[in-house]
Amino acid sequence: MDADLLQLIIPVAGLAAILFALYLARDVLSRDQGTKEMQDVAGTIFEGAVAFIRRQYSTIGLLAIVGAVVITIVITVFETADVADTDIFGFDLGWRTGVAFLVGAACSMASGIIGMFISVRSNVRTAAAARRSLVEAVQVAMRGGAVSGFLVVALSLLGVWGIFAAFGGLNAETVDQAPFLIVGFGFGASFVALFAQLGGGIYTKAADVGSDLVGKVEAGIPEDDPRNAGVVADLVGDNVGDCAGRGADLFESTAAENIGAMILGVGVYAIAVTAGWPNPEAWIFFPLVIRGFGLFATIIAMFFIRGREDENPMNILNRGYWVTTVLSVAALAFTTNVMMQTNGNAPSGLPVWIYFFGAGVVGLATSVAFVYITQYYTAGTFRPVREIAEASKTGPATNIISGTAVGFETTFVTAITIGIALFASHWLGSQTGMTNASGHDVGGIFGTAVATMGMLMTTAYILAMDTFGPITDNAGGIAEFSRAEAGAREITDRLDAVGNTTKALTKGYAIASASLAAFLLFSAYIDKVNLIQTRRGEPLLEAVNLADVSVFIAALIGAMLVYFFSSLAIRAVGTTAQSIIVEVRRQFREMPGIMDYTQRPDYARVVDITTKAALREMLAPGLVAVATPIIVGLLLGAEAVAGLLMVGTISGVLLATVLNNGGGAWDNAKKYIEAGHLLDDDGNVLGKKTAAHAAAVVGDTVGDPFKDTAGPSLHVLVKLLATITLVLAPLFIR
Amino acid sequence: MDADLLQLIIPVAGLAAILFALYLARDVLSRDQGTKEMQDVAGTIFEGAVAFIRRQYSTIGLLAIVGAVVITIVITVFETADVADTDIFGFDLGWRTGVAFLVGAACSMASGIIGMFISVRSNVRTAAAARRSLVEAVQVAMRGGAVSGFLVVALSLLGVWGIFAAFGGLNAETVDQAPFLIVGFGFGASFVALFAQLGGGIYTKAADVGSDLVGKVEAGIPEDDPRNAGVVADLVGDNVGDCAGRGADLFESTAAENIGAMILGVGVYAIAVTAGWPNPEAWIFFPLVIRGFGLFATIIAMFFIRGREDENPMNILNRGYWVTTVLSVAALAFTTNVMMQTNGNAPSGLPVWIYFFGAGVVGLATSVAFVYITQYYTAGTFRPVREIAEASKTGPATNIISGTAVGFETTFVTAITIGIALFASHWLGSQTGMTNASGHDVGGIFGTAVATMGMLMTTAYILAMDTFGPITDNAGGIAEFSRAEAGAREITDRLDAVGNTTKALTKGYAIASASLAAFLLFSAYIDKVNLIQTRRGEPLLEAVNLADVSVFIAALIGAMLVYFFSSLAIRAVGTTAQSIIVEVRRQFREMPGIMDYTQRPDYARVVDITTKAALREMLAPGLVAVATPIIVGLLLGAEAVAGLLMVGTISGVLLATVLNNGGGAWDNAKKYIEAGHLLDDDGNVLGKKTAAHAAAVVGDTVGDPFKDTAGPSLHVLVKLLATITLVLAPLFIR
């Protein structure tokens, strides 16, 4: 098999995934849309979601255009001949980076919009299918989710490949320069992801908390009751937060981490050219090729999503996940074997590709580990959730204390797993004995890049499972809202519980990939700084020295940034929720017919108010995230900003773990009590309407902005820090 | 003035402070002890506190002896001739380090025990004085607190100086070796502080939360009601947590940071000897001398604690604080001028001492800044607390969300202030142009050391204000418990509110000093590693390189450790509180006369059960704290463990800030509502017994283990990481 031929898989897999997504979308759209009532509420949700997305992406689009212009100017002015990484510099480099930024932003927006479009059309069809069959409902929801999954990954793959090709990546003479020209693409994707996740996250939790407080607590009507004017905003929120937000998050991961891996590939390329290995450019193309195979593995896995009516729906989804993983391992073996041919073997006598295959497997194993770690900490059958439920017996205070202890505890296994994965993949890579011209180990860091790429092979499947969450959540809401038959509601409730788990899994996966990738993105940053220093004839950046006072201060600021950013995000939810509460109260007061169902609440107005407030509130945390690394870089220099990046990443990953898992555990402790698993000292069930349940509801509400606003936004923040420093590196060198 | 003569101030100030403490103790003990009822309950508290302290310090003493033996063996085996920093090595060094460890541990225990002994005798006298006069009550409580403050600082000063003298510090030939021999003293102090703070913190909050839940919530009787068998344990807890715990914390700060500064002084000593400056050894003695002056400044300030009856008690205390600060500035100018004489001036033309005087002022200013920052975030008159009180209107969930946002937000100004202080003191120091033999800047890092020493000048006063807190808290409890007249209770309530503020201030101060000191302790660690490497002829540790995979993994583990440790500490409070609840319930059930006051509850049994549970529960977090740096050092090496130390410090300081300030703000939001400051939309007061107040009580309870168990224990953890790596450095070098 020729390695060059294998490159063809990139466009082929990208197009195949898009065609397959269209096929799935057609299949979903052709399904039964349920009763008139179902279609009515689904239509309202659809309108609300479209209104939010239109307004949000107009704002983000505007910000992106401003960003592109600023970047073009900055690069043109600062990346002059003597500092440029490549032969392209000044305005030539400026416009390329600006265009790459815009293309990255546009691809990210497109995948978010299309995915959400299908998701809000799948919900009613899932609700309708639930009237007939569990398996059919699972299939509809999962196919709807997969449209999002395939589009996000395919657009990111084709986008990176397209801009790479456009900037000379297919030309043998410039293949080693092109990766540096496309970093703007990753930055554009991060930029959009930050605002998409922040805006969506603030919207969804403000709508949830606000309409619960004004409906359940003040007016005393059930959750998702049609008399609550905020309830449609709540259902819209599931789509714009979980679906569009997480889509943008993982779009960014796949794009930015891919580009980082390609930059590290340039280092190996240089070794390969010098040593005369068969396919030097294969080391640069490897990340793209391996993701192509990941898409094929996921397409095949979609056909394994089938099962029995009485089966736990989670098992049906897990089946597909394991098919994806096993196929990915096989594809990894094949690809590393074909593309990573050297002359001679590693010092141990084994061929080099074996080690990188091992590193890729470490990545896939990390992904599997996080799936099970998240389940342990957030599923009701294990110790942590039971502990929180037990603590609810003595009231909300002990519930919160216990949940905080669980959230903090989850950092242990997270850090140890990431540490082992980094160490193992780095060790495997360093066993290849690859060193660059100045004798530095290159294999080790490339090993971590291969592990990251291995992990990202399953992204499309994971993202499909994630979008399954809001679709089934919405399906449950539609069933409740349209007063569907009990059997259908029972099925949507079961799917909703599974959806909660899959949403939590995706966050664990996103964190793990962000932390594996962090290390390769740092290395790409240091490579870039050193390219500039070499051109200038200045001493290289050999270390990011924490014992230097500027680096230490920057590290302190990086660790602080994740708290401060989270504080702003959490506060934004509170502020936005207040505006919903005021409006719903006004409608109850001025439209007395709402309570006896004779007047229809003005759902659209609440959606509109929430949209405006959420978009206003996303600006402060977004700007803090963008401005902090730039200010620190300008004041304290290139080495210090690397310290900010690294310690900010460590702190961000851990705080996100605390917020995501703590929030998930609180949520499921409430569900554990609702399911009747909590008993008092005499063996009586403590279920709904008990003090213990009320305490658990407090924990669940506290967890909402933690797990759905601040936590996921931190993933994006961490990656934004990496891409922003990578693009603006020339600014920071003095 | 001769610099050598100035060294005499060390023993003189130490002895003067001890004599003054005895004078204050005599004065307090000679005061009126109040009514028979007051003496009764005070006696019960005293017994409980003594029982706890006896048992706790027996456990800690045992652990310390084991620790000393292990350290002696480890140092004997590993610090052989070729790796030792000085001419003393092997068993010679081993027994010295073991003895220093034991002396440090013993001094720390002694100051904790004596201070607490006076504190539990001052409470009833404060309550008695409150029946007559506010100013008299303030004076009694502050003098009682000052006994603790003076003893802690004096014992730490005399302890360090004594062991320094015993190990050759007064001999001109070994003065530059002795600082390395006494690091065991700092480790011993940290070791005791860790367990004292953990055990005391777990005890105090478990007793508080447990007796509130079983008394107020279950039995419906008021707080501090004599029928609640847990209430004495609660009052005991204030003494063992806030008083003995914080005393050990600051004992450790003054000792460990002093030793770190002396080690850095050795670097300047070498320069001074080579350049022939007048008093080379003055650079090593400076930290001890400056603290002697700090003690004198505090003694004088004690005479300024006077005011009018209608004055805010906080103003009376602030007056003394400002006197201490202003006198410290003057002493700093004098001492730097006398001791820091060089031949010739700094490159700018100014004398060198001016710059170090500036650095010391930066330290004092940082202390003042933290006092006001803490007030802003935790006092009821400012935005953060009002925001939490407003959020309580919509229930406990929004109260918790708002408090979390405030807690996270406080990291911003904390990090910026520490960053500026580090940068400014380092910059001032580096302007002196001091460089060592290999051309590295030494002045900068010594500038941060001087800043830390400047900050520590006011420790005795700060600690007196801190101990004022539990004394007045207890006085209020005694007044309530003994059903004292309303006038006395009104005064104790006002003092209790001030005590809450002073306790919060001390935590801010402890954090700020820990973070300033962190940097000098890292530098001492790197100096020590490089001394060993020089002897071995191995390459020096030039940088702690975060881009190295082992350092990065260790940094990740360091950041994780602070969460995991806090999780264990918070969970320990819950577990211990459960055992109190079970016992108080049993007494209510089996002793029916309690409820109508015909039977006296068995207070001692609850104290005993809480003591045992708290001491059992402190072991797990304590051992995790000690074991993690050792395991990481053994597995990943000396550079990696420095990464763990630095990033662990950054993360620990920030998480402690979040926990302390969040907890303090929740506490005062409840007090803000109780004081009748919260109004509803129609302008009616929402006070006690409203839903908003109930919500605020939830926040207060959640904040308890945050601000009084986990947060303060993190201060100690951060410093323990520094001393443990300093002592065990030879183990980590491969």
Side-chain angles (χ1 to χ4, degrees):
Chain A
M1 183 82 196
D2 182 18
D4 281 349
L5 206 64
L6 219 50
Q7 288 177 25
L8 279 181
I9 196 147
I10 304 165
V12 171
L15 291 173
I18 289 181
L19 290 175
F20 191 65
L22 290 178
Y23 155 76
L24 292 175
R26 242 180 91 103
D27 173 68
V28 169
L29 293 177
S30 70
R31 304 256 176 161
D32 166 27
Q33 299 186 48
T35 64
K36 170 80 176 55
E37 288 78 15
M38 286 181 172
Q39 291 176 34
D40 265 3
V41 52
T44 318
I45 296 172
F46 182 75
E47 280 164 28
V50 169
F52 177 81
I53 290 289
R54 181 178 298 141
R55 208 189 284 258
Q56 184 187 33
Y57 280 92
S58 307
T59 309
I60 297 178
L62 209 69
L63 289 170
I65 290 171
V66 173
V69 171
V70 170
I71 288 166
T72 304
I73 294 171
V74 166
I75 299 284
T76 303
V77 172
F78 286 90
E79 203 139 355
T80 46
D82 57 324
V83 304
D85 336 331
T86 67
D87 294 333
I88 295 166
F89 49 80
F91 182 65
D92 270 359
L93 180 62
W95 75 258
R96 279 185 173 81
T97 311
V99 166
F101 179 91
L102 273 186
V103 174
C107 286
S108 172
M109 290 200 269
S111 59
I113 292 168
I114 302 171
M116 212 228 34
F117 206 77
I118 298 299
S119 150
V120 289
R121 292 189 172 282
S122 310
N123 51 15
V124 64
R125 291 165 174 88
T126 303
R131 297 164 68 208
R132 287 184 301 275
S133 147
L134 174 94
V135 174
E136 193 189 331
V138 170
Q139 281 173 343
V140 174
M142 191 63 190
R143 287 181 180 192
V147 174
S148 221
F150 282 116
L151 283 178
V152 163
V153 179
L155 276 176
S156 129
L157 181 63
L158 292 176
V160 172
W161 181 76
I163 200 108
F164 182 69
F167 289 174
L170 304 187
N171 183 330
E173 276 159 37
T174 50
V175 64
D176 60 334
Q177 303 196 353
F180 292 95
L181 303 178
I182 62 174
V183 290
F185 186 89
F187 185 21
S190 315
F191 189 85
V192 168
L194 180 74
F195 288 100
Q197 180 68 62
L198 267 176
I202 293 169
Y203 183 101
T204 178
K205 287 303 121 173
D208 190 353
V209 171
S211 59
D212 274 8
L213 284 175
V214 76
K216 276 202 292 196
V217 180
E218 286 189 15
I221 55 179
E223 202 171 328
D224 289 346
D225 188 289
R227 289 169 293 180
N228 187 337
V231 77
V232 169
D234 186 6
L235 291 169
V236 168
D238 294 336
N239 295 295
V240 301
D242 287 329
C243 179
R246 195 90 61 258
D249 178 358
L250 287 181
F251 180 90
E252 177 197 11
S253 285
T254 53
E257 293 163 17
N258 200 321
I259 294 169
M262 290 171 83
I263 289 179
L264 295 182
V266 171
V268 188
Y269 169 85
I271 298 172
V273 168
T274 312
W277 294 347
N279 305 296
E281 71 287 352
W283 299 88
I284 299 176
F285 278 100
F286 171 78
L288 293 166
V289 171
I290 201 72
R291 284 177 56 216
F293 277 108
L295 278 173
F296 278 123
T298 311
I299 290 175
I300 296 170
M302 291 309 292
F303 296 99
F304 287 82
I305 300 176
R306 52 184 73 241
R308 297 187 315 279
E309 280 299 309
D310 59 348
E311 202 172 356
N312 179 349
M314 195 66 221
N315 288 348
I316 302 178
L317 299 185
N318 275 340
R319 198 163 293 141
Y321 176 61
W322 279 105
V323 170
T324 312
T325 304
V326 170
L327 290 176
S328 294
V329 171
L332 199 55
F334 172 71
T335 314
T336 48
N337 176 281
V338 172
M339 295 187 88
M340 296 185 166
Q341 289 301 327
T342 57
N343 300 335
N345 289 330
S348 68
L350 288 172
V352 160
W353 71 268
I354 292 271
Y355 288 101
F356 288 120
F357 167 64
V361 171
V362 166
L364 281 163
T366 308
S367 158
V368 173
F370 268 87
V371 164
Y372 286 94
I373 292 169
T374 316
Q375 291 205 31
Y376 175 73
Y377 276 107
T378 60
T381 31
F382 302 101
R383 191 258 311 161
V385 166
R386 277 187 285 130
E387 194 173 283
I388 299 174
E390 284 293 329
S392 307
K393 286 179 182 173
T394 36
T398 40
N399 167 287
I400 300 291
I401 291 173
S402 171
T404 306
V406 167
F408 282 9
E409 185 193 321
T410 60
T411 58
F412 178 77
V413 63
T414 302
I416 299 295
T417 308
I418 295 172
I420 292 174
L422 269 180
F423 193 88
S425 56
H426 193 272
W427 183 84
L428 284 166
S430 66
Q431 293 306 302
T432 61
M434 283 185 187
T435 49
N436 64 12
S438 48
H440 282 38
D441 170 44
V442 170
I445 190 69
F446 198 71
T448 66
V450 174
T452 310
M453 292 303 115
M455 182 156 193
L456 288 183
M457 288 180 85
T458 57
T459 302
Y461 194 87
I462 294 277
L463 200 48
M465 288 212 286
D466 181 63
T467 311
F468 176 90
I471 292 174
T472 54
D473 194 351
N474 259 237
I478 291 171
E480 176 78 23
F481 199 94
S482 64
R483 308 191 207 169
E485 48 273 62
R489 280 199 243 174
E490 195 256 330
I491 284 181
T492 58
D493 276 357
R494 281 174 65 191
L495 295 189
D496 189 16
V498 170
N500 265 323
T501 307
T502 62
K503 280 190 282 184
L505 298 185
T506 312
K507 288 174 206 156
Y509 177 85
I511 284 186
S513 76
S515 24
L516 268 188
F519 205 70
L520 76 100
L521 289 168
F522 306 153
S523 307
Y525 171 76
I526 292 173
D527 278 7
K528 171 147 180 176
V529 169
N530 283 339
L531 264 172
I532 299 175
Q533 295 293 69
T534 307
R535 276 194 180 246
R536 285 187 173 189
E538 301 274 340
L540 297 189
L541 179 61
E542 297 281 359
V544 178
N545 183 12
L546 257 179
D548 178 88
V549 76
S550 295
V551 175
F552 183 77
I553 292 172
L556 178 66
I557 292 174
M560 173 275 282
L561 173 62
V562 306
Y563 283 111
F564 187 57
F565 173 83
S566 302
S567 168
L568 292 172
I570 291 171
R571 180 167 290 136
V573 172
T575 314
T576 309
Q578 281 302 324
S579 52
I580 298 167
I581 292 175
V582 169
E583 169 62 17
V584 177
R585 275 189 197 148
R586 188 194 63 78
Q587 293 197 17
F588 277 137
R589 196 173 54 238
E590 296 177 9
M591 299 157 81
I594 289 178
M595 267 316 204
D596 52 12
Y597 298 98
T598 56
Q599 241 178 330
R600 189 172 183 270
D602 189 349
Y603 303 120
R605 210 180 132 82
V606 179
V607 170
D608 196 51
I609 287 172
T610 317
T611 302
K612 279 188 201 150
L615 296 182
R616 194 175 55 235
E617 295 293 328
M618 80 179 178
L619 290 178
L623 293 180
V624 164
V626 174
T628 305
I630 298 178
I631 293 170
V632 170
L634 290 174
L635 288 178
L636 300 175
E639 187 182 345
V641 88
L644 177 142
L645 169 58
M646 292 177 185
V647 176
T649 299
I650 289 174
S651 309
V653 164
L654 293 181
L655 186 58
T657 302
V658 169
L659 296 172
N660 291 341
N661 290 339
W666 269 315
D667 189 348
N668 281 329
K670 185 192 73 169
K671 289 203 162 60
Y672 179 87
I673 292 177
E674 287 174 353
H677 295 313
L678 187 69
L679 308 178
D680 68 10
D681 290 345
D682 305 324
N684 303 315
V685 170
L686 292 169
K688 275 192 175 180
K689 302 200 175 169
T690 60
H693 180 251
V697 169
V698 171
D700 179 36
T701 311
V702 169
D704 271 345
F706 288 10
K707 74 181 198 305
D708 290 323
T709 311
S713 300
L714 279 174
H715 308 169
V716 191
L717 171 72
V718 162
K719 284 173 282 180
L720 180 84
L721 290 179
T723 55
I724 210 168
T725 46
L726 199 52
V727 169
L728 298 182
L731 259 167
F732 307 145
I733 297 175
R734 288 174 299 191
Chain B
M1 182 84 195
D2 183 17
D4 281 348
L5 207 64
L6 220 49
Q7 289 176 25
L8 281 180
I9 196 145
I10 304 165
V12 171
L15 291 173
I18 288 180
L19 290 175
F20 192 66
L22 291 177
Y23 156 76
L24 291 175
R26 242 180 92 99
D27 174 69
V28 169
L29 292 177
S30 70
R31 305 258 176 161
D32 167 26
Q33 299 186 46
T35 64
K36 168 85 178 55
E37 288 78 15
M38 285 181 172
Q39 292 176 31
D40 265 4
V41 53
T44 317
I45 296 172
F46 181 75
E47 281 164 28
V50 169
F52 177 81
I53 289 287
R54 182 177 298 142
R55 207 189 285 260
Q56 184 186 32
Y57 280 94
S58 307
T59 310
I60 296 178
L62 209 68
L63 289 170
I65 290 171
V66 173
V69 171
V70 169
I71 288 165
T72 305
I73 294 172
V74 166
I75 300 283
T76 304
V77 173
F78 286 91
E79 202 140 354
T80 45
D82 58 323
V83 306
D85 337 334
T86 68
D87 294 332
I88 296 166
F89 49 82
F91 182 66
D92 270 0
L93 181 62
W95 75 257
R96 279 185 172 80
T97 310
V99 166
F101 179 91
L102 274 185
V103 173
C107 286
S108 171
M109 289 198 271
S111 59
I113 291 168
I114 303 171
M116 212 226 37
F117 206 77
I118 298 299
S119 150
V120 290
R121 294 188 169 283
S122 310
N123 51 17
V124 66
R125 291 161 173 89
T126 303
R131 296 164 68 210
R132 287 184 301 276
S133 149
L134 173 93
V135 174
E136 194 190 331
V138 169
Q139 281 173 344
V140 174
M142 192 62 190
R143 286 179 180 193
V147 174
S148 220
F150 282 115
L151 283 177
V152 163
V153 178
L155 276 176
S156 130
L157 181 62
L158 292 176
V160 172
W161 181 75
I163 199 108
F164 181 69
F167 289 176
L170 303 186
N171 183 332
E173 275 159 38
T174 50
V175 64
D176 60 333
Q177 303 195 354
F180 292 96
L181 303 178
I182 62 175
V183 290
F185 186 90
F187 185 22
S190 315
F191 189 85
V192 168
L194 180 73
F195 288 101
Q197 180 67 65
L198 266 177
I202 293 168
Y203 182 101
T204 178
K205 287 304 122 174
D208 190 355
V209 171
S211 58
D212 274 9
L213 283 175
V214 76
K216 275 201 294 193
V217 179
E218 285 189 15
I221 56 179
E223 201 170 327
D224 289 345
D225 188 289
R227 290 170 292 179
N228 187 337
V231 78
V232 170
D234 185 6
L235 292 169
V236 169
D238 293 337
N239 294 296
V240 300
D242 286 331
C243 179
R246 194 90 63 262
D249 178 359
L250 287 181
F251 180 91
E252 177 198 11
S253 285
T254 53
E257 294 163 16
N258 201 322
I259 295 169
M262 291 172 84
I263 288 180
L264 296 182
V266 172
V268 188
Y269 170 85
I271 298 172
V273 169
T274 312
W277 293 348
N279 304 297
E281 69 289 351
W283 298 88
I284 298 175
F285 278 99
F286 172 79
L288 293 166
V289 171
I290 201 72
R291 283 177 55 215
F293 279 109
L295 278 173
F296 279 122
T298 310
I299 290 175
I300 296 171
M302 290 309 293
F303 296 99
F304 288 83
I305 301 176
R306 49 184 73 242
R308 297 186 316 279
E309 280 297 310
D310 59 347
E311 202 173 357
N312 179 349
M314 194 66 221
N315 288 347
I316 302 178
L317 299 185
N318 275 339
R319 199 164 293 141
Y321 176 61
W322 278 105
V323 171
T324 313
T325 303
V326 170
L327 291 176
S328 295
V329 171
L332 199 55
F334 173 72
T335 315
T336 48
N337 176 283
V338 172
M339 296 189 86
M340 297 184 167
Q341 290 299 329
T342 57
N343 299 334
N345 290 330
S348 67
L350 288 172
V352 160
W353 71 268
I354 292 270
Y355 288 102
F356 288 120
F357 168 64
V361 172
V362 167
L364 281 163
T366 308
S367 158
V368 173
F370 268 87
V371 164
Y372 285 94
I373 290 169
T374 315
Q375 292 205 31
Y376 175 73
Y377 276 107
T378 61
T381 31
F382 302 101
R383 192 256 313 158
V385 167
R386 277 188 284 130
E387 195 173 283
I388 297 174
E390 285 292 330
S392 307
K393 287 180 183 173
T394 36
T398 41
N399 168 288
I400 300 290
I401 292 173
S402 171
T404 306
V406 166
F408 282 9
E409 184 193 321
T410 60
T411 59
F412 177 78
V413 63
T414 302
I416 298 296
T417 308
I418 295 171
I420 291 173
L422 268 180
F423 192 88
S425 56
H426 193 273
W427 183 85
L428 284 165
S430 67
Q431 293 306 301
T432 61
M434 283 185 189
T435 48
N436 65 11
S438 48
H440 282 38
D441 171 45
V442 170
I445 189 70
F446 197 71
T448 66
V450 175
T452 311
M453 292 302 114
M455 183 155 193
L456 288 182
M457 289 180 84
T458 57
T459 301
Y461 194 87
I462 294 277
L463 200 49
M465 288 213 286
D466 181 63
T467 312
F468 176 90
I471 291 175
T472 53
D473 194 350
N474 259 235
I478 290 171
E480 176 78 23
F481 199 94
S482 65
R483 308 192 209 166
E485 50 272 61
R489 280 199 243 173
E490 196 254 331
I491 285 181
T492 56
D493 276 358
R494 279 172 67 190
L495 295 189
D496 188 17
V498 170
N500 265 323
T501 307
T502 62
K503 281 189 282 184
L505 299 185
T506 314
K507 288 174 208 157
Y509 178 84
I511 284 187
S513 76
S515 26
L516 267 187
F519 205 70
L520 76 99
L521 289 169
F522 306 154
S523 306
Y525 171 76
I526 291 172
D527 278 7
K528 170 146 181 178
V529 169
N530 283 339
L531 265 172
I532 299 176
Q533 295 291 70
T534 308
R535 274 192 182 249
R536 285 189 175 188
E538 301 272 339
L540 298 188
L541 180 60
E542 298 280 359
V544 178
N545 183 11
L546 258 178
D548 178 87
V549 75
S550 295
V551 176
F552 183 77
I553 292 171
L556 179 65
I557 291 174
M560 173 274 281
L561 174 62
V562 306
Y563 282 110
F564 187 57
F565 174 82
S566 303
S567 167
L568 291 173
I570 291 171
R571 180 168 291 135
V573 172
T575 314
T576 310
Q578 281 303 325
S579 52
I580 297 168
I581 291 175
V582 169
E583 170 61 17
V584 177
R585 275 190 197 146
R586 187 193 64 77
Q587 294 198 17
F588 276 137
R589 197 172 54 237
E590 296 178 7
M591 300 158 82
I594 289 178
M595 267 316 203
D596 52 13
Y597 298 98
T598 56
Q599 237 177 331
R600 189 173 182 270
D602 189 350
Y603 304 120
R605 209 178 133 82
V606 179
V607 170
D608 197 51
I609 286 172
T610 317
T611 302
K612 279 188 202 147
L615 296 182
R616 194 175 54 234
E617 294 293 328
M618 81 181 177
L619 290 179
L623 292 180
V624 163
V626 174
T628 306
I630 299 178
I631 293 171
V632 170
L634 290 174
L635 287 178
L636 300 175
E639 186 182 348
V641 89
L644 177 142
L645 170 58
M646 293 178 183
V647 175
T649 299
I650 289 175
S651 308
V653 164
L654 293 180
L655 186 58
T657 303
V658 169
L659 296 172
N660 291 342
N661 290 338
W666 269 314
D667 189 349
N668 280 330
K670 184 192 74 168
K671 291 203 160 58
Y672 180 88
I673 293 176
E674 287 174 353
H677 295 313
L678 187 68
L679 307 177
D680 68 9
D681 291 346
D682 304 324
N684 303 316
V685 170
L686 292 170
K688 274 191 178 182
K689 303 201 174 167
T690 60
H693 181 251
V697 169
V698 171
D700 180 35
T701 311
V702 169
D704 271 345
F706 288 11
K707 75 180 197 305
D708 290 323
T709 311
S713 300
L714 279 174
H715 308 169
V716 191
L717 171 72
V718 162
K719 284 173 284 179
L720 179 84
L721 289 179
T723 55
I724 210 170
T725 46
L726 200 51
V727 169
L728 297 182
L731 259 169
F732 306 146
I733 297 176
R734 288 173 300 192

